[in-house]
Amino acid sequence: MGNDRSGTGAETASGPGYALLLAAGPAGKQRLMDAAAALPQLAAVPPAALLGTPGGASVVQLVDPADPQTVLTHLRTAAAHPGPVLVHLAGQLTLDAKQRLPHLALARTTPRTARYTALPWHWLTAELGRRPPGSTVVVADLVADETAWPPLRAAGPSGLAAGLTLYGTVAPAPPKRGMATPDYSRAFAGLLRGAAERPPLALLHQRAALEAGLGSGPELLLDGAGPDEAYPAPDAAPGPEAAGWAGQTGPAEAAGSAGAAGSAGAAGSAGAAGPVAVTPPRMPLGPPESFLSADPRPAPPSPRPPQPTHAPLPPPPRRAPVADPLAATHAAIFEAANSGRHSEAASMAAAWEQEALRTAGPRSDEAIHWLEVRADLSRIAGDPARACELWLAVADARLGNGEPVGHPEVEGAVDRAHHQWQFVQDRARAGALAPPLMELRSRVPGRKPGALEAVRRRAELLRAPARTR
């Protein structure tokens, strides 16, 4: 799937949208989630709000399909749509018995027949991966059965997110005789129904996870990292069963075998150009043991947009002192970023954030810190839209924790979001970020007079038809 670097998903494309809402699961005792319960509330969301497209959208529901080819046909219809596309999946993951590859279980799926009766996950990535960058997003509310959870847990979100802009959650199977409920989907839909405009997806995901009570348990949170921000696979940590989760083939090859997938200021240096494995120091409550470079070779730095002549750059976020146990980790991350290895830096930061979410919760100081690091990495990579969105999420989290609007950390987050927004050249991206920025600016005006009025003026200009010569 295209890389939704702005984090706003389908909002970066124009025209009417297309949404495919899929709820699936095996019949009888093999069913682990009441997936169909996710659809009524999603279907009640106005199509334009679901897709973030003022021109409306077509919404197709697919409940308990039995044939993977039927699902494939719907995926291909979605992939061929010229406008923004959202695919929502609710159900359960399993592995086929022969190749040990992840599949979405369908109505006739059993442990022995998954290879023939379930939808291979790599069909999904192959069909949607050919779409234009920024035009497609997948939202998943899934449980993984006893065959799928161990390798997915070992591989992390990269086991599913490679090649996709993927938001949502994957949880282990509930206890025997238990039935999981699609709480994330319900929260996601509830937030959309209550919003005048769809907020940026990273912020929407964060709020939905919080409302659903996710982040403190064993579940994995999928935060929309695109193909250039894929999570790394642990080097040699899991057993051979996890190997099939990276780089799989598309539908044409499925019958055969599957293929293979800021601030500089940190002390010290780490990593040469090219593939490296970075082992961070121990983090409280158990950090990941290693990270593998997401790039086969160093990537050239992204071109940066022209610098505006106004709004001086706010001071960079505070770095951890040298005595901090994470100083070497910060050094490795920012050395990679400033060397142009942006995917490698983003992967390391995202993995640490995932660990913080799992161990300390989505509103913890640790999780907010890594959100700030990711925002600064987006700035270094020349992606101001993504940086703006992440700083908005930082401010929202801090305010949600009860920090006052005049707190320096809150003001700093909103100021940086505003600053980065001024660099966003794409009108659709800038327009999508304007409403949440105005809402925060009205609460946190900052110390520079006229900040809120400046946002309003530019938002009005963005809403006006573009002039052509």
Side-chain angles (χ1 to χ4, degrees), residues 73-407:
T73 298
H74 282 274
L75 286 174
R76 286 177 170 166
T77 300
H81 184 74
V85 167
L86 181 143
V87 176
H88 185 282
L89 305 173
Q92 66 195 65
L93 294 172
T94 188
L95 298 189
D96 70 288
K98 183 175 182 180
Q99 294 176 325
R100 313 297 291 172
L101 296 177
H103 288 62
L104 182 69
L106 303 181
R108 295 185 297 160
T109 301
T110 67
R112 292 186 179 183
T113 65
R115 186 182 179 195
Y116 308 102
T117 60
L119 178 77
W121 188 264
H122 51 274
W123 286 15
L124 178 79
T125 60
E127 292 302 321
L128 299 180
R130 290 190 283 265
R131 287 182 50 78
S135 66
T136 319
V137 66
V138 177
V139 179
D141 193 348
L142 304 169
V143 295
D145 69 13
E146 66 277 4
T147 68
W149 179 249
L152 177 57
R153 175 74 168 176
S158 63
L160 297 176
L164 296 174
T165 299
L166 179 63
Y167 291 92
T169 179
V170 184
K176 287 187 177 181
R177 296 189 178 90
M179 180 77 72
T181 54
D183 296 332
Y184 176 88
S185 296
R186 289 168 172 167
F188 188 91
L191 290 167
L192 283 176
R193 289 201 309 275
E197 296 183 32
R198 190 178 81 175
L201 280 169
L203 190 60
L204 181 60
H205 162 74
Q206 183 186 46
R207 290 176 175 174
L210 189 66
E211 288 204 8
L214 303 174
S216 59
E219 65 275 346
L220 295 177
L221 294 179
L222 311 166
D223 70 350
D228 292 335
E229 297 175 346
Y231 294 86
D235 55 329
E241 64 180 354
W245 288 76
Q248 295 136 359
T249 58
E253 296 81 31
S257 60
S263 297
S269 61
V276 296
V278 179
T279 304
R282 296 297 293 173
M283 180 181 180
L285 301 177
E289 293 186 354
S290 59
F291 305 99
L292 187 64
S293 170
D295 286 334
R297 58 177 63 94
S302 300
R304 299 189 182 187
Q307 303 291 312
T309 57
H310 53 285
L313 178 68
R318 296 200 305 264
R319 293 282 161 254
V322 174
D324 188 272
L326 293 179
T329 301
H330 291 122
I333 290 172
F334 282 96
E335 190 276 335
N338 289 310
S339 298
R341 305 196 308 276
H342 301 299
S343 294
E344 178 185 331
S347 295
M348 288 190 286
W352 279 98
E353 182 189 25
Q354 184 73 26
E355 183 65 19
L357 290 169
R358 192 162 47 236
T359 58
R363 287 286 172 88
S364 64
D365 290 342
E366 296 89 339
I368 293 174
H369 167 74
W370 288 109
L371 199 59
E372 292 174 333
V373 170
R374 290 179 56 212
D376 211 27
L377 292 176
S378 296
R379 175 188 64 82
I380 296 172
D383 189 352
R386 182 68 164 166
C388 172
E389 183 185 37
L390 291 170
W391 281 120
L392 290 174
V394 170
D396 184 75
R398 289 191 176 280
L399 290 169
N401 282 347
E403 293 184 23
V405 295
H407 193 285

